[in-house]
Amino acid sequence: MRALYQSACAVRTLRPLRPLTPGEARVAVATGRGLTAEQIAQANAVSINTGRTQLRNIFLKTGTARQAELVSVLAGLPMATLGLGGV
């Protein structure tokens, strides 16, 4: 079971990251900073449903399923990968 998990992690890591939209990039960065979906939606002046949709899209594009996984993936990426080069 552990070997299967490690293999899945390796495939996910090697798979090219699909570009995030500017809104998704903001949500990803805010998630990495520990904000909740509600806080992110409020900060971006969008509905909670829009925020959750953006988060779901980020999960699909990064091959993750949970916020903790997403944070782990994003921690290893340069900010430019998220479309936030100078931030």
Side-chain angles (χ1 to χ4, degrees):
M1 183 76 145
R2 183 176 171 97
L4 179 61
Y5 173 76
Q6 289 173 334
S7 176
C9 288
V11 169
R12 189 171 39 246
T13 301
L14 294 174
R15 181 177 31 191
L17 183 66
R18 291 170 43 188
L20 301 179
T21 66
E24 291 167 350
R26 286 189 298 272
V27 170
V29 169
T31 299
R33 292 181 177 153
L35 297 177
T36 66
E38 291 80 9
Q39 291 169 322
I40 295 168
Q42 185 177 18
N44 290 319
V46 298
S47 74
I48 185 64
N49 289 332
T50 297
R52 287 185 177 139
T53 297
Q54 289 173 319
L55 191 55
R56 219 175 7 254
N57 290 338
I58 295 166
F59 289 156
L60 289 172
K61 290 180 179 184
T62 59
T64 58
R66 300 182 346 234
Q67 289 178 320
E69 281 183 291
L70 174 63
V71 170
S72 178
V73 168
L74 297 177
L77 298 175
M79 294 304 282
T81 305
L82 299 174
L84 301 172
V87 177

